[in-house]
């Protein structure tokens, strides 16, 4: 391996280290972030302040390591001021009243109550035989869609708003998530809720009140 190729390999190694930590923090639902990233490359010295615990490179893979080269990637991880939704979040609360589903009016609600179905979760778990007998498949499908887990973690600042307010204020929402990819995923999930649940209810209830 030539020296130029070896340096290129080091660059890719640093990139992989940085990408790994950033992706981990971006996709896990936690209240931590990276404040700074420090990358040090150099050789071991006799300096008494030298950090002997810094990871050394494998000389067979990186010939420059034979001369004492080091790679030290350090992340300053900190707690976010605004907490995220906890990792145990399962999406919408399953005990939301079944009448909150789109298309489920008072008459259908009475029918469902007679079948001992009072919540969205209860409808989503209803036995297939009963669903067929009472022609409830479309409503069970809507209930299942409403209960899907959201694609990204949310901050309390987002949770205090109603789903319809967030849909109507996407420019604001886009500044509160970590990436365009996450914004699109969140926007699609909110629009899914708009299709599944009663709009009047969604306009006056906050996300915080309806998430599990």
């Amino acid at each position: 391996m030539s020296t130029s190729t070896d340096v290129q390999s080091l660059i890719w190694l640093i990139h992989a280290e940085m990408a790994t930590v950033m992706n981990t923090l971006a996709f896990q639902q936690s209240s931590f972030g990276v404040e700074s990233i420090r990358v040090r490359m150099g050789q071991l010295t006799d300096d008494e302040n030298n950090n002997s615990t810094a990871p050394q490179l494998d000389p067979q893979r990186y010939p420059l390591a034979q001369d004492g080269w080091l790679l030290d990637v350090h992340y300053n991880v900190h707690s976010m001021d605004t907490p995220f939704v906890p990792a145990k979040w399962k999406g919408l609360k399953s005990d939301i009243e079944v009448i909150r589903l789109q298309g489920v009016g008072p008459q259908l609600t009475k029918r469902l109550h007679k079948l001992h179905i009072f919540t969205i979760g209860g409808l989503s778990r209803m036995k297939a035989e009963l669903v067929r007998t009472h022609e409830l498949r479309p409503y069970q499908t809507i209930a299942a869609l409403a209960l899907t887990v959201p694609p990204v973690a949310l901050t309390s600042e987002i949770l205090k708003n109603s789903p319809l307010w967030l849909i109507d204020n996407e420019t604001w929402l886009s500044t509160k998530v970590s990436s365009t990819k996450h914004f699109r995923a969140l926007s699609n999930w909110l629009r899914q809720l708009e299709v599944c649940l009663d709009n009047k209810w969604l306009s006056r209830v906050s996300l915080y009140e309806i998430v599990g």
Side-chain angles (χ1 to χ4, degrees), residues 4-82:
S4 60
T5 303
D6 190 68
V7 171
Q8 184 64 44
S9 297
L10 288 174
I11 293 173
W12 281 111
L13 181 60
I14 295 170
H15 178 271
E17 288 279 346
M18 294 171 64
T20 296
V21 72
M22 296 305 294
N23 287 335
T24 299
L25 291 172
F27 286 100
Q28 72 174 358
Q29 293 180 344
S30 65
S31 56
F32 295 95
V34 174
E35 185 174 284
S36 62
I37 300 176
R38 183 193 72 208
V39 179
R40 295 190 305 175
M41 293 179 60
Q43 292 179 293
L44 282 174
T45 67
D46 295 330
D47 184 0
E48 61 180 6
N49 294 322
N50 176 63
N51 182 9
S52 60
T53 63
Q56 296 194 39
L57 303 178
D58 180 0
Q60 293 185 347
R61 186 176 181 186
Y62 302 102
L64 289 177
Q66 294 177 352
D67 299 324
W69 279 80
L70 295 174
L71 174 66
D72 177 17
V73 183
H74 174 76
Y75 309 100
N76 185 9
V77 180
H78 66 101
S79 178
M80 304 289 281
D81 293 333
T82 305

Side-chain angles (χ1 to χ4, degrees), residues 74-117:
H74 174 76
Y75 309 100
N76 185 9
V77 180
H78 66 101
S79 178
M80 304 289 281
D81 293 333
T82 305
F84 285 112
V85 173
K88 65 180 181 179
W89 185 16
K90 301 301 181 183
L92 258 62
K93 293 177 180 177
S94 61
D95 60 355
I96 294 174
E97 295 177 351
V98 72
I99 198 172
R100 301 305 182 189
L101 284 175
Q102 284 280 19
V104 178
Q107 294 302 317
L108 181 53
T109 299
K110 290 180 180 178
R111 285 176 52 201
L112 290 169
H113 285 181
K114 289 180 180 180
L115 297 171
H116 302 287
I117 301 299

Side-chain angles (χ1 to χ4, degrees), residues 82-86 89 91-92 150 152-163 165-166 172-173 176-177 186 189-190 193 202 204-212:
T82 305
F84 285 112
V85 173
W89 185 16
L92 258 62
V152 296
L154 304 177
T155 65
S156 58
E157 189 175 9
I158 294 175
L159 287 170
K160 70 181 181 181
N161 297 290
S162 73
W165 187 92
L166 292 170
W172 176 89
L173 182 60
K176 306 301 178 181
V177 292
L186 178 57
W189 180 70
L190 290 170
L193 294 186
L202 281 181
R204 65 175 184 266
V205 67
S206 68
L207 269 181
Y208 182 81
E209 294 175 88
I210 62 178
V211 298

Side-chain angles (χ1 to χ4, degrees), residues 97-143:
E97 295 177 351
V98 72
I99 198 172
R100 301 305 182 189
L101 284 175
Q102 284 280 19
V104 178
Q107 294 302 317
L108 181 53
T109 299
K110 290 180 180 178
R111 285 176 52 201
L112 290 169
H113 285 181
K114 289 180 180 180
L115 297 171
H116 302 287
I117 301 299
F118 302 95
T119 65
I120 293 177
L123 179 56
S124 69
R125 297 187 297 270
M126 194 174 181
K127 293 183 179 180
E129 183 179 350
L130 283 175
V131 171
R132 290 195 303 269
T133 301
H134 297 277
E135 300 180 345
L136 296 171
R137 189 180 306 282
Y139 303 103
Q140 187 180 55
T141 299
I142 293 174

